[in-house]
Amino acid sequence: MRNNLFYMINLKPIPIGVFETDFNLNKKEKEKLLSLPYDIAPSGAKISKDSFIFKNKNFKRMATLFTKTMAEYTEKILEITNEFYITQSWATINGSKTGHHSHTHKASIFSLVFYPESEGDNKIFFELGKSSIQEGFDFCYNTKKFNVYNSDTWNVSTKKGSIIIFPSYLRHYSTNEGKKIMIGANFFIKGKIGWKERKDYIEI
């Protein structure tokens, strides 16, 4: 007896975009990046003191990469026509066996992280608190295989050249078995949003 064919509708997914690129820092960009002043986090990670590094003309290529990738994400994945612009931008440097604590990105709608260098098994983890099937009834289900429906945490490998875009409210942390350089930016919306006749119009 043949089973009936079926398909799944993911009605309320969280749009985490993963892009693999061959973008490399040139010598001048890397030298400038490494020469930035950094704070040292308790985990040992270095975090740039400057929260607006893309204002530096040496990072113009990276700012362009971020803007173009965000446009591709909103137009081809989200399929919306609103415009988003870079607000904060920063860099982090991790040695082996370091990480970043669990956190969100405030005052932002989307965040983009790029890994120009990453050695070994380095990951970023996204935390939901509850899985999709726990939102109504918060049971501890017997999981046969973890998937996007039954998992309250999901991880993505942060490989060299990877770009990851995610909603800024999404709590996340990272672990690093090897060395890693990360460049990040937050995005906010601008322009005309909504419709006057629906009383939800705003211009930012």
Side-chain angles (χ1 to χ4, degrees):
M1 180 177 178
R2 186 172 67 88
N3 291 330
N4 293 328
L5 296 176
F6 73 97
Y7 62 94
M8 299 300 301
I9 298 174
N10 297 308
L11 187 59
K12 195 180 177 182
I14 298 174
I16 300 173
V18 182
F19 301 78
E20 302 297 338
T21 78
D22 58 1
F23 187 94
N24 291 303
L25 300 182
N26 60 39
K27 183 179 179 181
K28 189 173 183 180
E29 289 167 339
K30 185 174 180 179
E31 287 177 349
K32 184 61 181 177
L33 191 70
L34 295 178
S35 69
L36 293 173
Y38 287 87
D39 289 319
I40 309 297
S43 66
K46 296 180 179 180
I47 304 172
S48 64
K49 292 179 180 291
D50 187 356
S51 298
F52 306 94
I53 64 171
F54 282 173
K55 290 184 177 181
N56 189 309
K57 63 181 181 180
N58 291 294
F59 301 140
K60 184 177 180 179
R61 274 199 330 134
M62 283 186 285
T64 299
L65 172 69
F66 277 44
T67 300
K68 288 183 176 180
T69 307
M70 175 57 67
E72 184 176 359
Y73 170 80
T74 55
E75 293 170 10
K76 295 182 179 180
I77 297 176
L78 303 185
E79 296 193 79
I80 59 176
T81 60
N82 302 89
E83 186 177 357
F84 295 83
Y85 70 99
I86 295 172
T87 53
Q88 303 87 4
S89 52
W90 67 96
T92 65
I93 300 175
N94 283 83
S96 300
K97 306 298 182 182
T98 61
H100 289 278
H101 68 284
S102 178
H103 64 286
T104 62
H105 293 174
K106 307 294 186 184
S108 171
I109 298 177
F110 293 107
S111 295
L112 186 156
V113 289
F114 166 58
Y115 303 91
E117 294 189 10
S118 186
E119 302 174 0
D121 187 22
N122 303 328
K123 298 181 184 296
I124 183 171
F125 291 79
F126 296 100
E127 301 176 290
L128 299 179
K130 293 181 179 180
S131 69
S132 175
I133 58 176
Q134 288 175 318
E135 288 189 356
F137 288 92
D138 195 4
F139 296 143
C140 293
Y141 296 100
N142 300 324
T143 303
K144 180 176 71 174
K145 181 180 179 181
F146 289 109
N147 60 32
V148 294
Y149 307 112
N150 62 40
S151 300
D152 59 8
T153 302
W154 201 263
N155 71 76
V156 179
S157 294
T158 53
K159 301 175 183 178
K160 174 181 169 61
S162 295
I163 292 176
I164 302 173
I165 306 177
F166 55 92
S168 301
Y169 70 81
L170 191 57
R171 184 165 290 278
H172 57 284
Y173 66 94
S174 68
T175 60
N176 304 285
E177 293 298 321
K179 297 178 181 179
K180 185 184 76 180
I181 295 176
M182 188 281 296
I183 300 165
N186 288 331
F187 284 79
F188 203 77
I189 196 168
K190 69 177 179 179
K192 299 176 180 180
I193 308 161
W195 291 267
K196 293 180 179 179
E197 60 271 21
R198 294 200 321 204
K199 310 299 186 290
D200 59 8
Y201 178 85
I202 186 172
E203 187 169 353
I204 299 176

